[in-house]
Amino acid sequence: MRRRQLLQLILLHTAWEMGSSQLHYSVPEESQHGTFVGRIAQDLGLEVDELVPRMFRMVSKDHRDYLEVNMQNGILFVNSRIDREELCGKSPVCPLHLEVIVDKPLRVFHVEVEITDINDNAPFFTAGEENLSILESRLAGSSFPLEGALDADVGINAQLTYHLSASEHFKLDFQNSGDNSLGFVIKKPLDREDISVHRLLLTATDGGHPALTGSVQLVIIVLDVNDNPPVFNQSVYKIQMFENASNGTSVIKLNATDLDDGINKDITYSIRSVNPHKLSTVFRIDQNTGQIVLNGELDYEDTNLYEIRAEATDKSGYPLSGHCKVLIEILDVNDNTPEVSVSVLLIPVPEDSSVGTVVALISVSDRDSGTNGQVSCSLWPTGIPFKLVSTFKNYYSLTLAEPLDREQVAEYRLIVTVQDQGTPSLSATSSLVVPIGDVNDNAPTFSQPTYTVFVKENNPPGAHIFTVSASDPDMAENAQVSYWLDEKLWPLSSYISVHSESGKLYALQPLDYEEMKLLEFQVNAKDAGLPSLCGNVTVQVFILDANDNAPAVSAPTEDGPTVLVVPVAAGYMLGKIHALDADSGYNAWLRYELHEKTRGPWRVGLYSGEISTTRAMDEMDSSGGSQNVLVLVKDHGKPALSATATLSVSLVASSQVIHTDANLPRMGGNPKSLVDNVNVYLIIAICSVSSLFLLVIIVYMALRCHCQPKEPTIYGPGTATLVCASEVGSWSYSNRHSHILATGTSEAVAKNDLMVFSPSIPATVENGKPQDLLCATVSDPLFKSL
């Protein structure tokens, strides 16, 4: 009945173990290499030709290579020798837990392979020979216990039967019950004088196929007289001990009595055997008192049950012995720290990974039992985009719980904590660094949307004029930025180039303000990612004027020398010098001065160029004849450039206009006729002079109107829109998309144009001292005064 209940418990436990996995196989121990276990690919629903592309792999918890999978046919086979006794000891069920992992998509399967026992261990006795002493006075039917054999196998392979060699005095007594008691019985009274020593062979046979045997030689010595053996007060002692009991702890005190008297009553105690045999030194007994004490360390996880066979022997010359059994059950304490194993599947984790992506597999275990072996798993710190998902008993997946952004957090340092339920609780941790893989999700950006650059004209070819710089928060090739120009507006290849790596802008040829005032273009920045991302910035290059054009003088108001009839009053205007300057601003603002070589009563307007007399002139001044007025035209640039203009003035006396014949009276003419002739000549002269003066006035006015164009301006190309001031001075541009380079008169400047002067350059003269102007329009009174 007890055997049937034990078998039912074993079958129930095996069925529970088989139901706890996704797949269950079994294979006998000691199977040869290549032994078929199962068609694992087919049973998992996987195609054979997708095992390699999906990176099919099998992970064993203890990292042993007992089993392997043929990637060509998907068959699970034995790879190396498996010893069930070494792997699981006396445990009735010996499973191997495997994890099967495939990618694309990632899936994890749990497979359990049960290692079945084969009859590869023969029964054995602890000693090759056992000596027994029996009084000849013992009656027929008396029984004597024997030490049974041991078998490392389990199940039916460890079920032993015994056979005793033929003897007319002894027979075997074996009860195949719960305690499997073994002994022999006297079936015929002994006669020491007939046979003093009996030698029998005890053979143990297991239930395997084929059966294996082991034997021991029994040497039975027949003693005389002492016919009462010691007797223990219990045949079986059962006690419990915690595994953390210290060395020297008292286990139990045995007590045996002997009905004999004298020396035959004195008893000594001894330990005949300890099962498991390899731990026979863990306990010792005091031979006088029968006190059993702990002589080593206990470990519940190694052995949880000890069986001690003790013997009490009297001190007779022919000693008799009594026997008992001590069963010691070891109780578990929480003395094993939980274990955690992390298998990383995806490192680094791309920042564009979807939620639910499996990053690592985590398995936890605890060698303790009961609540001491129940563990829980947690993740630290909180608030991170990862979580633990339980996939099987004591198995977890570290999965992505939230979207990632490498530019915010480049890596995560995680701590996996496993804690048991014992008292006090024990825990273990495992650190895991999860770097985040970069994805090209950020385009290069410039620090500002527009750059304004000022470059003086006449720069050397290849001059570095500016550097643009774009940043990309990505990393590696995703952050490697290269630059190029956008030439959609107009071809820039002959003017500007950009270095693809540094972003430096170079002027390929000298820039000429008089030809172009503004270059506006886009610089694009592109990273090296796949696919690449781009950004751009607008660059406005304003060309600053340099004083590289001297004033150009045009002809005076009248062609040829100017005839001046004296006398004339002071301030009489002789003519006007016209000059133009291709530069702009302060560099094109002209002033007129008399050359130091010029002598005479002349002056020239400082900004108008009008030449006039400084005093009244009479006929005395006509004696000089023709005179040249040399005018110096200068701009306000630094250094100033200049040109000269010459105005030739012919002085004519009024008496030379009237042709009088002073000699007529001396020639004897008629005085009256002479007077009449004089009056006629005088009238003719007056009319001629009046006509000539009127003609001169008409011609002068016509020439003045002809020499003053309605729009006396010169424009340069470009689209200037900006008015600003900086450390290099103040500059402005016309709202008619060009800057005025030169004008004929100050009044001819358009009232909506702007002129700009550097604060460090004198712009006008007031009371003999130069005054500074920052910026003003020509409609201002100051310009009107010029």
Side-chain angles (χ1 to χ4, degrees):
M1 183 65 182
R2 294 181 61 186
R3 293 181 60 189
R4 182 180 301 173
Q5 292 178 350
L6 179 61
L7 182 59
Q8 290 177 350
L9 289 175
I10 293 174
L11 292 176
L12 180 62
H13 179 75
T14 303
W16 181 87
E17 288 290 334
M18 293 176 60
S20 63
S21 297
Q22 294 184 11
L23 284 182
H24 182 88
Y25 298 106
S26 64
V27 63
E29 66 171 331
E30 305 294 341
S31 297
Q32 295 182 355
H33 173 78
T35 299
F36 174 86
V37 178
R39 301 184 182 276
I40 189 171
Q42 177 180 338
D43 295 339
L44 291 177
L46 302 175
E47 298 294 335
V48 175
D49 55 0
E50 69 179 352
L51 297 182
V52 175
R54 294 187 65 182
M55 298 181 65
F56 180 96
R57 55 199 183 276
M58 187 171 63
V59 180
S60 176
K61 179 181 178 182
D62 56 358
H63 306 288
R64 297 290 294 272
D65 56 347
Y66 292 128
L67 302 173
E68 190 56 70
V69 175
N70 188 329
M71 304 299 285
Q72 305 299 322
N73 53 25
I75 292 177
L76 180 66
F77 63 93
V78 175
N79 187 46
S80 62
R81 172 182 174 273
I82 306 176
D83 188 351
R84 196 203 69 83
E85 286 72 30
E86 179 184 350
L87 192 63
C88 299
K90 295 290 289 183
S91 176
V93 179
C94 183
L96 283 180
H97 297 283
L98 305 175
E99 290 180 3
V100 176
I101 305 171
V102 292
D103 293 332
K104 302 177 183 178
L106 178 65
R107 295 189 63 189
V108 180
F109 303 93
H110 297 277
V111 179
E112 185 179 87
V113 179
E114 180 182 358
I115 309 303
T116 60
D117 184 52
I118 65 173
N119 193 24
D120 59 338
N121 291 279
F124 67 97
F125 292 87
T126 58
E129 184 177 282
E130 185 173 359
N131 295 319
L132 301 172
S133 297
I134 302 177
L135 286 174
E136 64 176 349
S137 60
R138 297 299 296 266
L139 300 176
S142 299
S143 64
F144 301 89
L146 291 176
E147 182 71 19
L150 302 176
D151 196 322
D153 294 322
V154 296
I156 193 172
N157 294 327
Q159 293 181 5
L160 303 180
T161 59
Y162 297 89
H163 174 72
L164 188 64
S165 60
S167 172
E168 63 177 343
H169 294 91
F170 303 96
K171 67 177 181 179
L172 188 66
D173 181 19
F174 175 65
Q175 297 179 4
N176 191 5
S177 57
D179 57 355
N180 293 331
S181 61
L182 175 65
F184 65 94
V185 179
I186 299 175
K187 67 179 182 178
K188 181 180 179 181
L190 301 175
D191 186 359
R192 178 182 173 279
E193 288 70 47
D194 186 19
I195 301 174
S196 62
V197 176
H198 298 266
R199 297 185 181 273
L200 304 176
L201 184 63
L202 178 62
T203 302
T205 305
D206 62 25
H209 295 283
L212 301 178
T213 62
S215 60
V216 62
Q217 182 75 30
L218 298 180
V219 178
I220 303 174
I221 302 173
V222 180
L223 302 178
D224 198 18
V225 258
N226 188 22
D227 56 352
N228 288 294
V231 178
F232 288 93
N233 57 357
Q234 289 181 223
S235 61
V236 177
Y237 297 88
K238 295 182 178 180
I239 61 172
Q240 292 179 333
M241 293 186 66
F242 284 102
E243 63 174 324
N244 61 346
S246 60
N247 188 9
T249 301
S250 176
V251 178
I252 191 173
K253 185 177 181 180
L254 302 179
N255 183 27
T257 60
D258 195 318
L259 298 178
D260 293 325
D261 196 13
I263 193 172
N264 294 331
K265 188 177 182 180
D266 295 337
I267 298 174
T268 59
Y269 298 90
S270 63
I271 294 178
R272 289 178 57 89
S273 65
V274 176
N275 188 21
H277 179 68
K278 63 179 180 179
L279 300 176
S280 59
T281 60
V282 174
F283 301 95
R284 60 184 173 86
I285 190 170
D286 190 313
Q287 65 178 358
N288 297 319
T289 63
Q291 181 74 50
I292 298 177
V293 295
L294 186 62
N295 192 42
E297 293 182 354
L298 301 177
D299 189 353
Y300 172 87
E301 289 70 37
D302 187 19
T303 303
N304 58 11
L305 180 65
Y306 290 88
E307 180 180 315
I308 301 176
R309 291 185 179 269
E311 182 179 61
T313 305
D314 58 31
K315 295 181 180 181
S316 170
Y318 303 97
L320 297 179
S321 300
H323 303 85
C324 73
K325 183 188 299 184
V326 180
L327 299 178
I328 303 175
E329 181 184 0
I330 307 303
L331 302 180
D332 182 49
V333 295
N334 194 24
D335 59 342
N336 289 280
T337 303
E339 298 177 357
V340 56
S341 175
V342 179
S343 300
V344 178
L345 301 180
L346 186 61
I347 290 295
V349 181
E351 61 178 319
D352 61 348
S353 298
S354 59
V355 174
T357 300
V358 179
V359 178
L361 295 178
I362 300 171
S363 63
V364 297
S365 62
D366 195 315
R367 295 183 60 201
D368 294 321
S369 63
T371 58
N372 296 330
Q374 295 177 2
V375 296
S376 60
C377 193
S378 62
L379 189 63
W380 186 90
T382 59
I384 58 175
F386 297 95
K387 66 178 181 180
L388 289 177
V389 178
S390 178
T391 59
F392 194 65
K393 179 182 178 181
N394 291 343
Y395 289 91
Y396 298 85
S397 293
L398 179 64
T399 61
L400 186 62
E402 300 174 8
L404 300 173
D405 187 356
R406 190 204 64 82
E407 287 69 41
Q408 297 293 329
V409 181
E411 71 174 18
Y412 292 89
R413 296 185 177 271
L414 313 179
I415 296 178
V416 179
T417 302
V418 55
Q419 187 173 20
D420 61 28
Q421 305 301 316
T423 304
S425 178
L426 300 178
S427 63
T429 61
S430 178
S431 298
L432 177 62
V433 178
V434 182
I436 307 304
D438 184 48
V439 174
N440 192 24
D441 56 348
N442 291 278
T445 57
F446 293 87
S447 59
Q448 56 190 68
T450 303
Y451 291 102
T452 302
V453 183
F454 295 93
V455 180
K456 278 197 173 184
E457 64 174 329
N458 303 322
N459 56 278
H464 172 227
I465 60 174
F466 193 66
T467 300
V468 295
S469 178
S471 60
D472 194 319
D474 294 322
M475 64 181 299
E477 65 275 0
N478 295 332
Q480 293 178 2
V481 179
S482 59
Y483 305 88
W484 83 97
L485 292 178
D486 185 359
E487 300 185 4
K488 292 182 180 179
L489 297 179
W490 70 82
L492 295 173
S493 58
S494 61
Y495 292 98
I496 300 294
S497 70
V498 62
H499 192 276
S500 62
E501 295 181 359
S502 64
K504 291 184 177 181
L505 295 174
Y506 298 95
L508 300 179
Q509 63 179 357
L511 301 176
D512 190 352
Y513 172 83
E514 287 70 39
E515 294 182 1
M516 184 179 299
K517 296 175 176 57
L518 171 63
L519 285 174
E520 184 174 7
F521 52 90
Q522 280 190 342
V523 177
N524 291 336
K526 178 177 68 174
D527 58 34
L530 290 176
S532 62
L533 301 178
C534 299
N536 59 68
V537 67
T538 300
V539 179
Q540 293 179 332
V541 179
F542 289 94
I543 301 158
L544 306 181
D545 183 47
N547 192 27
D548 57 346
N549 291 281
V553 180
S554 59
T557 303
E558 298 177 356
D559 297 333
T562 299
V563 178
L564 179 60
V565 180
V566 294
V568 294
Y572 178 78
M573 188 180 75
L574 302 179
K576 182 178 179 68
I577 300 300
H578 295 275
L580 298 176
D581 195 315
D583 295 322
S584 66
Y586 213 67
N587 296 326
W589 187 24
L590 302 181
R591 61 183 179 183
Y592 302 85
E593 301 174 0
L594 289 178
H595 198 276
E596 60 183 4
K597 294 182 179 180
T598 301
R599 300 287 186 270
W602 322 112
R603 67 180 177 185
V604 63
L606 180 60
Y607 300 109
S608 64
E610 295 177 349
I611 302 174
S612 59
T613 60
T614 59
R615 59 178 175 80
M617 302 182 66
D618 52 23
E619 296 182 357
M620 294 296 295
D621 296 305
S622 63
S623 60
S626 177
Q627 297 186 25
N628 291 328
V629 179
L630 188 60
V631 178
L632 186 64
V633 183
K634 294 183 179 180
D635 58 28
H636 284 72
K638 285 189 177 182
L641 301 179
S642 63
T644 58
T646 302
L647 181 65
S648 180
V649 180
S650 298
L651 303 178
V652 180
S654 59
S655 58
Q656 293 177 332
V657 179
I658 303 175
H659 300 286
T660 303
D661 191 357
N663 296 322
L664 286 177
R666 294 191 179 108
M667 296 176 63
N670 189 349
K672 186 177 181 304
S673 299
L674 181 59
V675 172
D676 292 337
N677 290 335
V678 170
N679 291 334
V680 173
Y681 291 142
L682 183 58
I683 293 172
I684 294 173
I686 292 172
C687 291
S688 299
V689 171
S690 299
S691 299
L692 181 60
F693 178 76
L694 182 60
L695 180 61
V696 169
I697 295 298
I698 294 173
V699 171
Y700 175 79
M701 294 300 295
L703 290 177
R704 183 176 180 86
C705 292
H706 176 72
C707 294
Q708 296 181 359
K710 294 182 179 180
E711 197 71 35
T713 59
I714 300 175
Y715 300 100
T719 58
T721 59
L722 184 66
V723 178
C724 72
S726 68
E727 64 274 11
V728 298
S730 298
W731 308 91
S732 68
Y733 295 84
S734 170
N735 59 9
R736 292 182 300 175
H737 309 294
S738 66
H739 184 74
I740 296 179
L741 301 180
T743 60
T745 62
S746 61
E747 293 81 7
V749 178
K751 295 183 182 298
N752 57 357
D753 285 349
L754 296 179
M755 295 185 65
V756 177
F757 308 98
S758 172
S760 60
I761 303 176
T764 185
V765 176
E766 181 175 347
N767 298 329
K769 296 182 180 180
Q771 301 293 321
D772 289 341
L773 295 178
L774 179 60
C775 183
T777 62
V778 295
S779 60
D780 291 341
L782 175 61
F783 281 91
K784 289 183 178 181
S785 66
L786 299 178

